[in-house]
């Protein structure tokens, strides 16, 4: 059975879109529905690839606005860490379902996650119908079971997620270079090579992290990752705020993806943002991520793509830096092979969103500029992933239950 989207607009022209066997089978003015097709009436909405959230801790929806406006270490020590210590796999499941619901309602079709209880995350992804790369955070500094715990977590999560669901990909996520020691980083680097598995890591988020790295290891963070075998085309570097030119050249050479996380960096006052020059230097694959909701506090990439674009302009003192079309491509995962974004075209995965451009804030003007500078996720009407309709007319079938169950979990874990 095919799903056919009728009365859509693509690149300025009216089209029909036929989705069969998980791909876009046909797209054009002559594509119409047959009697046995399932039909979605786009009502003149614009069809686009979905947004790709390249850095999340999805279940942290449970900690939305929990300790906002506190200094970083007080926020972590008094609020986030104690509450995370109380989490169960059921909490992570419903927190992730809430995140998936919010992402669907703001046009995200795929995300790259790092969080505890990865099997619960994977179940939530499958049940919500999105695509995700799922990884447990790996930490061996200051933990009771050290290196053995790190190995058990990494191998256990890879085994548990192997063959789990076609929409779920297992990654490994050494949390950061200050929470995993050199022995741990080298072990994960060897595992990456052996299994050809994707890596997701926080890197070069604060100046203090860079200074400690130089003192402890005699090299900067990107060089350390490379020395440990962790820089490759399937490596996702979240933040990268303090990467210098030499490190950026190394990242480009290895083909690793740097994920802009502008809202979280601004809100936590990281002191700097992912260097703007990456936007101008071809060769560094780029992505956009929200980070966890505790430090954003939203998963709406239509908001964050605007912040990313205008922040690069502001920091470069140059409004021509990162034009709207480029910012949108980054947010759609089209500036990184690892993120898997493509244009909406025949042969592409059957993932798309329909955006209503007759909303007052999107009239008149250039589509890409409006999507980046004026739209929010509320403009998204319909979301389709792998040929399955997850939202139409802004209705997500089990939204009420997801919100209620996540709120119950949050209330339990936020109790002091
Ligand atoms: Zn993060």
């Amino acid at each position: 059975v095919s799903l056919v989207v009728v009365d859509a607009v693509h690149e300025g022209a009216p089209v029909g879109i036929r989705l069969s066997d998980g791909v876009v089978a046909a797209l054009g003015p002559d594509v119409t529905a047959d009697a046995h097709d399932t039909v979605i009436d786009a009502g003149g909405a614009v069809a686009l690839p979905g947004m790709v959230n390249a850095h999340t801790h999805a279940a942290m929806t449970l900690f939305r606005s929990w300790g906002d406006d506190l200094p970083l270490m007080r926020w972590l020590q008094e609020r986030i860490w104690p509450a995370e210590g109380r989490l169960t796999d059921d909490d992570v499941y419903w927190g992730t379902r809430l995140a998936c619901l919010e992402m669907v309602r703001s046009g995200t079709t795929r995300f790259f996650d790092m969080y505890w209880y990865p099997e619960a995350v994977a179940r939530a992804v499958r049940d919500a119908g999105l695509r995700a790369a799922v990884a447990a955070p790996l930490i061996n500094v200051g933990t009771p079971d050290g290196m053995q715990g790190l190995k058990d977590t990494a191998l256990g999560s890879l085994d548990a997620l192997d063959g789990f669901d076609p929409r779920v990909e297992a990654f490994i996520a050494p949390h950061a270079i200050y929470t995993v020691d050199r022995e741990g980083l080298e072990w994960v680097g060897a595992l990456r090579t052996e299994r050809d598995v994707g890596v997701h890591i926080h890197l070069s988020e604060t100046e203090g992290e860079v200074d400690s790295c130089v003192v402890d290891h005699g090299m900067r963070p990107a060089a350390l990752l490379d020395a440990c075998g962790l820089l490759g085309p399937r490596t996702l570097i979240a933040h990268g705020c303090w990467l210098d030119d030499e490190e950026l050249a190394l990242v480009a050479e290895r083909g690793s993806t740097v994920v802009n996380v502008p809202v979280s960096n601004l809100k936590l006052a990281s002191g700097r943002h992912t260097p703007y020059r990456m936007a101008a230097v071809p060769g560094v694959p780029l992505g956009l991520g929200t980070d966890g909701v505790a430090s954003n506090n939203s998963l709406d990439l239509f908001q964050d793509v605007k912040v990313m674009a205008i922040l690069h302009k502001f920091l470069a003192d140059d409004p021509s830096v990162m034009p709207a079309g480029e910012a949108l491509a980054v947010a759609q995962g089209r500036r990184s092979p690892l993120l898997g974004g493509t244009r909406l075209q025949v042969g592409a995965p059957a993932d798309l969103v329909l955006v209503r451009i007759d909303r007052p804030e999107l009239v008149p003007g250039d589509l890409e500029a409006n999507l980046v500078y004026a739209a929010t996720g509320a403009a998204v009407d319909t979301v389709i992933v792998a040929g399955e309709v997850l939202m139409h007319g802004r209705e997500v079938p089990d939204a009420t239950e997801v919100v209620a169950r996540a709120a119950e979990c949050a209330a339990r874990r936020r109790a002091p």
Side-chain angles (χ1 to χ4, degrees):
V1 174
S2 298
L3 179 70
V4 178
V5 180
V6 298
D7 193 20
V9 172
H10 181 244
E11 293 176 353
V15 295
I17 306 166
R18 174 174 292 274
L19 307 171
S20 306
D21 299 324
V23 297
V24 178
L27 186 159
D30 304 328
V31 176
T32 54
D34 298 330
H36 49 274
D37 291 327
T38 305
V39 178
I40 288 284
D41 185 352
V46 167
L48 300 164
M51 297 294 225
V52 174
N53 196 333
H55 181 59
T56 60
H57 311 284
M60 292 187 88
T61 48
L62 301 181
F63 307 131
R64 197 188 317 265
S65 75
W66 181 236
D68 278 349
D69 312 326
L70 287 173
L72 179 66
M73 288 320 289
R74 279 193 60 202
W75 173 67
L76 289 172
Q77 288 169 353
E78 294 175 19
R79 298 296 181 94
I80 298 301
W81 290 340
E84 284 192 327
R86 295 190 285 266
L87 285 179
T88 65
D89 60 347
D90 197 50
D91 296 326
V92 169
Y93 175 82
W94 288 108
T96 306
R97 286 296 305 269
L98 181 61
C100 289
L101 176 59
E102 187 181 350
M103 285 191 264
V104 166
R105 285 175 55 83
S106 51
T108 292
T109 51
R110 181 184 202 122
F111 64 103
F112 290 73
D113 201 58
M114 180 199 295
Y115 212 59
W116 317 104
Y117 298 108
E119 291 177 73
V121 175
R123 274 191 290 119
V125 169
R126 178 196 62 197
D127 295 349
L130 285 166
R131 296 185 197 272
V134 174
L138 305 176
I139 294 176
N140 75 342
V141 173
T143 59
D145 45 7
M147 195 60 200
Q148 194 56 48
L150 180 149
K151 289 180 181 177
D152 291 347
T153 304
L155 297 173
S157 64
L158 287 180
D159 285 349
L161 299 180
D162 182 34
F164 178 82
D165 188 272
R167 295 183 208 188
V168 174
E169 186 179 5
F171 266 44
I172 42 177
H175 171 269
I177 57 172
Y178 53 88
T179 45
V180 183
D181 63 17
R182 175 123 192 189
E183 183 193 0
L185 292 170
E186 286 174 354
W187 184 84
V188 179
L191 182 67
R192 172 188 86 85
T193 314
E194 185 191 313
R195 304 267 187 116
D196 189 29
V197 64
V199 172
H200 190 168
I201 187 169
H202 296 104
L203 194 79
S204 205
E205 182 173 356
T206 65
E207 192 171 24
E209 174 190 337
V210 178
D211 292 345
S212 302
C213 182
V214 170
V215 169
D216 294 346
H217 303 285
M219 59 185 101
R220 292 178 65 90
L224 176 65
L225 277 199
D226 196 42
C228 295
L230 278 163
L231 269 193
R234 307 198 67 227
T235 301
L236 211 51
I237 294 171
H239 301 289
C241 304
W242 296 84
L243 294 172
D244 68 12
D245 287 341
E246 213 172 306
E247 291 178 287
L248 285 172
L250 177 61
V251 169
E253 200 177 306
R254 298 288 183 260
S256 305
T257 296
V258 178
V259 182
N260 291 259
V261 194
V263 173
S264 176
N265 291 150
L266 287 165
K267 185 160 181 272
L268 295 177
S270 303
R272 207 170 130 173
H273 182 244
T274 319
Y276 79 89
R277 56 190 178 278
M278 286 192 309
V281 177
V284 180
L286 294 179
L288 171 65
T290 53
D291 217 339
V293 155
S295 62
N296 187 296
N297 300 3
S298 146
L299 295 168
D300 180 356
L301 283 178
F302 280 94
Q303 296 187 23
D304 290 29
V305 70
K306 174 177 182 174
V307 175
M308 174 179 69
I310 63 179
L311 186 57
H312 280 301
K313 296 172 193 299
F314 178 79
L315 294 173
D317 197 16
D318 177 358
S320 72
V321 164
M322 197 174 262
E326 184 59 24
L328 191 62
V330 171
Q332 290 170 334
R334 293 195 283 116
R335 288 296 176 268
S336 156
L338 177 59
L339 298 180
T342 59
R343 287 189 168 280
L344 187 57
Q345 60 198 7
V346 172
D351 302 355
L352 62 89
V353 302
L354 298 172
V355 175
R356 297 226 60 96
I357 56 163
D358 53 359
R359 296 169 63 92
E361 73 273 22
L362 302 182
V363 175
D366 175 76
L367 175 66
E368 287 185 333
N370 283 352
L371 290 173
V372 171
Y373 300 129
T376 68
V380 178
D381 177 86
T382 298
V383 174
I384 297 169
V385 174
E388 184 187 342
V389 181
L390 305 184
M391 176 173 81
H392 183 52
R394 293 202 60 69
E395 289 294 322
V396 182
D398 44 8
T400 308
E401 189 200 358
V402 169
V403 171
R405 296 292 296 271
E408 285 167 22
C409 293
R412 276 199 298 274
R413 300 312 157 204
R414 289 156 71 128

